[in-house]
Amino acid sequence: MATGRTHRPATRSRGIPEATVARLPLYLRALTALSERSVPTVSSEELAAAAGVNSAKLRKDFSYLGSYGTRGVGYDVEYLVYQISRELGLTQDWPVAIVGIGNLGAALANYGGFASRGFRVAALIDADPAMAGTPVAGIAVQHTDDLDRIISDNGVSIGVITTPPGAAQQVCDRLVAAGVTSILNFAPTVLSVPEGVDVRKVDLSIELQILAFHEQRKAGEEAAADGRAAVDADEEGAPPMRATPTGRKGPDGDMPAVMPA
């Protein structure tokens, strides 16, 4: 079994931080939407809002690309689309193999957004012999016995794993041995890969659990707010308070007690 790091160092050869690389697709998505509306330029504030980041972070990210915009004008949308696409390697065609053609794998195979973003589903692979030859999204599913040949014949360097968790590591090892150097893992398990292989993990259950945490916290805050409102309402309707002697003695005489008027 392959062992070692699960990702590359924190910065790329050109010195772009991984956090910046992770935000580039967000900028590209926002810019593509602007381009489709024929918007020629965009300010850092507008683009940052569309991408869901703050403008200072956006300007810092773009400085790594050597793009600083024009004061009073903003950024040229078409140029930024090209610049970020080139930085992400999307100016060339990337053949992708999906391994595990269940519901999720089939859904990804049918996703039409890959082609427009520089990716081509070149092969579909599954361990079920009954699936062999079955067309999915116009591509015939092939058996895992032929995985090495399939990867080689199609020049695949990016593999997508959508298998059950118990099979994911074995599939990962075979992909790496066949020459795949980047893996997108949808299986709910942590993969071990050698140095030089990138793994990105997509775990839908974890994302839902994080959302559940926030929903629970919001519900707790709403309940606390309702409780405070009820207390305030009780206090507004309560009778005024007056002091009345109780007979207890203090150093200066009777100690008053607060009682309803």
Side-chain angles (χ1 to χ4, degrees), residues 32-45:
T32 300
L34 293 171
S35 176
E36 290 172 349
R37 288 159 36 205
S38 299
V39 176
T41 59
V42 63
S43 69
S44 59
E45 289 78 11

Side-chain angles (χ1 to χ4, degrees), residues 131-203:
M131 288 288 294
T134 303
V136 175
I139 303 172
V141 176
Q142 302 182 71
H143 195 267
T144 50
D145 286 349
D146 299 320
L147 186 145
D148 292 1
R149 177 189 57 77
I150 296 167
I151 297 302
S152 176
D153 289 352
N154 291 279
V156 172
S157 59
I158 300 176
V160 180
I161 296 178
T162 52
T163 66
Q169 184 63 59
Q170 182 180 9
V171 168
C172 174
D173 292 343
R174 290 196 61 189
L175 286 171
V176 170
V180 170
T181 53
S182 291
I183 293 172
L184 181 61
N185 177 33
F186 282 87
T189 187
V190 176
L191 298 178
S192 178
V193 296
E195 180 73 26
V197 176
D198 282 319
V199 174
R200 298 288 296 181
K201 180 173 175 55
V202 181
D203 194 321

Side-chain angles (χ1 to χ4, degrees), residues 62-218:
F62 284 1
S63 72
Y64 291 110
L65 307 181
S67 184
Y68 298 94
T70 303
R71 184 178 296 276
V73 177
Y75 295 93
D76 182 289
V77 171
E78 291 298 333
Y79 178 67
L80 267 185
V81 167
Y82 166 75
Q83 194 176 24
I84 294 176
S85 296
R86 182 183 62 183
E87 196 65 48
L88 289 173
L90 303 182
T91 54
Q92 59 180 300
D93 179 58
W94 292 100
V96 174
I98 301 176
V99 185
I101 314 303
N103 291 333
L104 178 56
L108 291 174
N110 280 285
Y111 174 56
F114 286 132
S116 63
R117 289 167 173 79
F119 302 94
R120 173 175 56 87
V121 178
L124 304 178
I125 306 171
D126 197 273
D128 184 358
M131 288 288 294
T134 303
V136 175
I139 303 172
V141 176
Q142 302 182 71
H143 195 267
T144 50
D145 286 349
D146 299 320
L147 186 145
D148 292 1
R149 177 189 57 77
I150 296 167
I151 297 302
S152 176
D153 289 352
N154 291 279
V156 172
S157 59
I158 300 176
V160 180
I161 296 178
T162 52
T163 66
Q169 184 63 59
Q170 182 180 9
V171 168
C172 174
D173 292 343
R174 290 196 61 189
L175 286 171
V176 170
V180 170
T181 53
S182 291
I183 293 172
L184 181 61
N185 177 33
F186 282 87
T189 187
V190 176
L191 298 178
S192 178
V193 296
E195 180 73 26
V197 176
D198 282 319
V199 174
R200 298 288 296 181
K201 180 173 175 55
V202 181
D203 194 321
L204 302 180
S205 64
I206 287 179
E207 299 303 324
L208 287 171
Q209 288 166 13
I210 292 172
L211 289 176
F213 165 80
H214 289 295
E215 284 301 309
Q216 178 177 257
R217 187 172 63 175
K218 284 185 286 188

